[in-house]
Amino acid sequence: MRYLCLLMLIFFSICTTLPAQQTAKTSLALDSLQQLIDGAGPDSMRLGAYKAYLLEIHTTDSAATMQYAEKGKALATQMGKAYDALYFDYLKAEFLFVNRYYDQVFPVYRHIRRKLAKTKNDTLLWRTNRMLGHLHQYQNQYDSALWYYNLCHVKEVAETSEEWEEWYSHIAMYMSVVYNRLDNPKKAIELLRTAAVSFEKLGNDAGQIKALKSIAHIHFMRKDYENTIAAFEYLLPVVQWMGNQMEEVDVTSWLGDVYRAKNEFGKAFQFYELAKQLSEEIGDFDQLAFVNNRMGGIYYSQCNYRRATQWTGCL
């Protein structure tokens, strides 16, 4: 019981840390986990400590990740916990994926799939299929990516309907990227709209904004400026209602970009001026410099070099 309480305390310390305290608190938590790993406590506690330790470092520390993944897997195998052993393989694979060791990560994910081939509604299998979708997408193997993403349409893996809707919304976002690259923007936008509605229902503001913004970006990249404007004008009151001023600045400056692309410089200036004002109000100096540069670019294109220098000189 003493070891269990210590492990729970470490988890609580990690999960409730303020950003400014994160590094010191994480270091303290890792030290405590290391004591559990090296201690003479029950194997089940040591196994839990290995998992917690890896969850903190598995995407950043290469040498430690591989070492602790192998040690955790060995302990799980020794305890006869085959599923836990696969979980350590999964964490090792996530490190390899994040660091783009794609040639090494494929065999690990395929090993996990083979071991779980006969299982149904398994969360680890679901995650593995999702990651294989990512891998194939990043290597421009789009049909294979869609195949793995479609394997993720298993509602039973989630504990609640809300959790499933959150998971599926992210899968829809991933699939939209693939369909857009397959030159099927209609399907991509359909998936993004579905995701945006789900994120709104779940109260996931960041997800909703990202989905709606992605719709606008698809139109913009295809030089469909009217639909781009419509998409951003739809998004603008959404972010204003959320009170997200940084996104309001971004959407406003994007509207300036679209009108600039249409050579409607008067309207472009209106939105850039609004974005400039908002940037100054919230102290977003990076965005302010970006907007000044855009305005200078318009003057430069009109051969008004004095005004162009004035605005770009604000960088």
Side-chain angles (χ1 to χ4, degrees):
M1 180 60 70
R2 178 167 60 88
Y3 289 102
L4 179 59
C5 291
L6 178 57
L7 188 57
M8 290 176 67
L9 181 62
I10 293 166
F11 272 121
F12 181 78
S13 173
I14 292 170
C15 295
T16 59
T17 300
L18 294 173
Q21 304 168 321
Q22 187 69 48
T23 302
K25 287 279 186 121
T26 299
S27 178
L28 179 62
L30 290 177
D31 288 343
S32 300
L33 287 168
Q34 186 66 60
Q35 291 176 22
L36 278 178
I37 290 170
D38 295 337
D43 284 345
S44 57
M45 290 297 98
R46 293 179 60 226
L47 190 66
Y50 270 119
K51 291 179 181 178
Y53 198 100
L54 276 167
L55 285 171
E56 283 300 302
I57 68 166
H58 75 284
T59 59
T60 56
D61 190 330
S62 57
T65 294
M66 305 304 279
Q67 177 186 1
Y68 280 83
E70 289 301 325
K71 287 184 175 180
K73 180 180 178 180
L75 178 59
T77 303
Q78 176 186 321
M79 296 170 64
K81 294 183 174 290
Y83 190 87
D84 286 300
L86 286 176
Y87 181 71
F88 284 108
D89 280 335
Y90 179 84
L91 291 178
K92 179 172 66 176
E94 274 203 345
F95 163 77
L96 294 170
F97 174 82
V98 168
N99 290 278
R100 301 185 180 184
Y101 297 124
Y102 297 147
D103 57 330
Q104 297 179 47
V105 77
F106 264 115
V108 182
Y109 283 134
R110 286 168 177 160
H111 168 72
I112 296 171
R113 274 185 52 80
R114 282 195 301 270
K115 291 293 183 179
L116 298 177
K118 295 182 180 179
T119 63
K120 292 183 179 180
N121 310 331
D122 181 81
T123 303
L124 187 57
L125 180 59
W126 185 92
R127 290 177 177 176
T128 300
N129 287 331
R130 179 194 61 185
M131 296 306 292
L132 281 165
H134 294 344
L135 276 168
H136 285 289
Q137 180 193 149
Y138 293 162
Q139 296 192 326
N140 301 325
Q141 298 168 351
Y142 299 129
D143 290 336
S144 295
L146 288 175
W147 189 81
Y148 281 108
Y149 285 144
N150 278 312
L151 290 178
C152 295
H153 291 189
V154 184
K155 292 183 178 180
E156 291 77 11
V157 297
E159 294 184 3
T160 65
S161 58
E162 290 79 11
E163 184 180 53
W164 162 247
E165 192 155 8
E166 179 86 24
W167 289 4
Y168 176 72
S169 297
H170 287 289
I171 293 296
M173 295 277 286
Y174 304 143
M175 294 179 73
S176 73
V177 174
V178 178
Y179 276 112
N180 190 45
R181 290 177 179 173
L182 287 171
D183 201 27
N184 190 345
K186 183 177 179 180
K187 181 64 176 178
I189 291 171
E190 176 188 326
L191 287 164
L192 288 167
R193 284 176 177 155
T194 299
V197 170
S198 294
F199 284 134
E200 180 181 14
K201 185 163 63 173
L202 293 165
N204 185 335
D205 291 352
Q208 183 185 1
I209 291 170
K210 185 175 181 180
L212 292 175
K213 194 180 285 187
S214 295
I215 292 172
H217 290 166
I218 288 174
H219 289 308
F220 184 78
M221 294 302 293
R222 293 176 180 276
K223 299 184 179 181
D224 183 353
Y225 298 133
E226 295 305 321
N227 277 320
T228 306
I229 291 169
F232 278 124
E233 286 183 340
Y234 178 87
L235 177 56
L236 185 57
V238 173
V239 297
Q240 289 171 334
W241 180 82
M242 291 175 180
N244 192 327
Q245 291 181 302
M246 292 192 71
E247 286 293 349
E248 184 180 355
V249 171
D250 188 60
V251 173
T252 304
S253 63
W254 260 107
L255 281 164
D257 286 348
V258 181
Y259 280 111
R260 180 189 183 197
K262 292 183 67 182
N263 294 322
E264 296 184 26
F265 299 131
K267 287 187 176 180
F269 269 118
Q270 289 177 17
F271 282 106
Y272 285 145
E273 286 286 1
L274 180 56
K276 183 174 180 291
Q277 179 184 341
L278 291 168
S279 298
E280 290 172 342
E281 288 176 2
I282 65 174
D284 187 346
F285 299 110
D286 288 338
Q287 187 67 41
L288 178 61
F290 175 82
V291 173
N292 284 335
N293 188 45
R294 287 297 207 217
M295 295 173 78
I298 292 177
Y299 284 120
Y300 184 86
S301 68
Q302 297 175 329
C303 299
N304 190 338
Y305 302 125
R306 183 182 63 81
R307 296 297 300 274
T309 303
Q310 176 187 345
W311 285 105
T312 55
C314 296
L315 292 174

